[in-house]
Amino acid sequence: MTYRTTSAEETTAVGEAVAARLRPPAVVMLIGELGAGKTTMAKGIVSALGVAPVADVLSPTFSLVHEYDGDPKVYHLDLYRLDTVPELETLGLEDIWDEPAIVIVEWGEKFDSELPGERLEVHMEYDGEDSRIIRLEGSDWPAAQAGSPVRTRNQ
């Protein structure tokens, strides 16, 4: 599934559409360069799950993990500042993987082999100044519902 967005609001809307299809336990890995919109996507997912308003969803770049209590519980991780597996191990992710939670991971590709293999990967790329191409990939990710306002094509 591929989307093209031309604003933060449209990227948030894609996140909301993703959230509508998630069932815990689930891992969503957000992949893209700095500024590609990963945190904006996370805002849409978290807010659509009803655990925090968009304005309260911030990048966990310095805290590494934000935990949102709700039904479902949501974890938002940012692994940008980590460089080694021992650093990653200090986060206690084994406990998080065992919970019936939605786990959103920014910069998870740095530790691909340490993360669960069953996951939704959201690849985000620049396509001009304000435009983004967003590709959803996962072995059991269902096709998007017809009628999405930012959907460009089904792959």
Side-chain angles (χ1 to χ4, degrees), residues 49-102:
L49 291 171
V51 296
V54 169
D56 290 350
V57 180
L58 305 173
S59 174
T61 299
F62 294 101
S63 62
L64 304 179
V65 179
H66 286 169
E67 181 179 334
Y68 300 94
D69 286 321
D71 186 18
K73 181 176 257 186
V74 177
Y75 292 94
H76 182 191
L77 288 65
D78 187 326
L79 307 181
Y80 180 76
R81 296 179 56 226
L82 302 181
D83 294 315
T84 66
V85 171
E87 288 175 320
L88 181 70
E89 290 171 347
T90 66
L91 298 180
L93 296 180
E94 300 81 23
D95 296 331
I96 291 175
W97 305 141
D98 290 338
E99 289 190 45
I102 305 294

